[in-house]
Amino acid sequence: MTETLRPARFARRGLSSKRVRPGCLFRRFSWSTAMATELAARRAERDKILAGGFSMAQVDQMLDLLEGYVRDFPSKQWVLCHGDLSLKHIFVTADGQDGAAVRVSGIIDFGDWQSGTPVHDLAVLRVREPRLDLQPLLAGYGAPADRTYRRQLDLHTLTIALGSLAFCVDELDQPGIQRSRDQIRALVADLDAQCR
């Protein structure tokens, strides 16, 4: 690149960076507005959730749980979220020694990036990779180990899992429906147990 073109290219990169600065992205959003949209989407998907194997009473119970989530866990901090985090988007490396800890060396495919609450990507990862062991995942994520955080995470995961179930019903994806249904039932059971 010539010396005369370099300043113009850096200026364009700077302008692009300015457009994705968190202060610019997240100023417009509020927790109540974002979650009202999510709740409306889940209500609109009621028939698909019913078709996915849940009763009307179960759907109502889940929607009540999500309304409590909005009320009890307002997020004042918005962060940049990957939006579609799964194992296929995470690169890991070891330090080259036997038994060395594995570390994340890169994350790819930010095509679904969005602003969101700090638990969002962890909840998406749980839905996409339901067999992952949650405790080491939470420790690696730097998440608090208390029951309050776990309830918040479970509720956010429920929001995403219900949307995933509706998608699988639309696609007639029977394995996906079964996987989503099993995950949702486990989440609701865990949430019920947390209240006892």
Side-chain angles (χ1 to χ4, degrees), residues 60-78:
D60 289 340
Q61 176 195 15
M62 290 183 280
L63 291 174
D64 288 345
L65 284 168
L66 296 181
E67 287 172 5
Y69 173 47
V70 175
R71 179 189 64 246
D72 298 339
F73 294 99
S75 180
K76 295 177 175 68
Q77 177 187 10
W78 290 97

Side-chain angles (χ1 to χ4, degrees), residues 35-155:
M35 289 311 294
T37 302
E38 285 297 316
L39 284 171
R42 298 301 83 85
R43 284 188 191 101
E45 295 164 343
R46 179 184 294 268
D47 289 343
K48 294 173 188 171
I49 296 168
L50 290 168
F54 291 98
S55 69
M56 186 67 77
Q58 290 171 318
V59 174
D60 289 340
Q61 176 195 15
M62 290 183 280
L63 291 174
D64 288 345
L65 284 168
L66 296 181
E67 287 172 5
Y69 173 47
V70 175
R71 179 189 64 246
D72 298 339
F73 294 99
S75 180
K76 295 177 175 68
Q77 177 187 10
W78 290 97
V79 297
L80 179 66
C81 295
H82 184 278
D84 185 29
L85 199 58
S86 67
L87 293 180
K88 67 183 179 183
H89 297 140
I90 302 171
F91 292 122
V92 295
T93 59
D95 293 333
Q97 303 169 4
D98 287 336
V102 173
R103 64 181 177 78
V104 173
S105 60
I107 298 175
I108 62 166
D109 188 8
F110 281 82
D112 292 325
W113 72 271
Q114 59 187 318
S115 60
T117 182
V119 299
H120 183 77
D121 275 336
L122 186 52
V124 169
L125 183 59
R126 286 181 74 196
V127 170
R128 302 282 189 268
E129 308 291 343
R131 292 184 301 247
L132 286 177
D133 188 1
L134 186 59
Q135 290 311 97
L137 186 60
L138 289 174
Y141 198 73
D146 61 35
R147 290 173 48 140
T148 302
Y149 183 84
R150 176 61 189 267
R151 184 164 179 81
Q152 179 186 13
L153 176 60
D154 286 350
L155 287 164

Side-chain angles (χ1 to χ4, degrees), residues 18-38:
K18 180 181 178 184
R19 288 183 185 138
V20 297
R21 225 181 38 222
C24 295
L25 287 174
F26 310 133
R27 205 173 319 159
R28 297 179 237 156
F29 298 101
S30 74
W31 174 251
S32 58
T33 301
M35 289 311 294
T37 302
E38 285 297 316

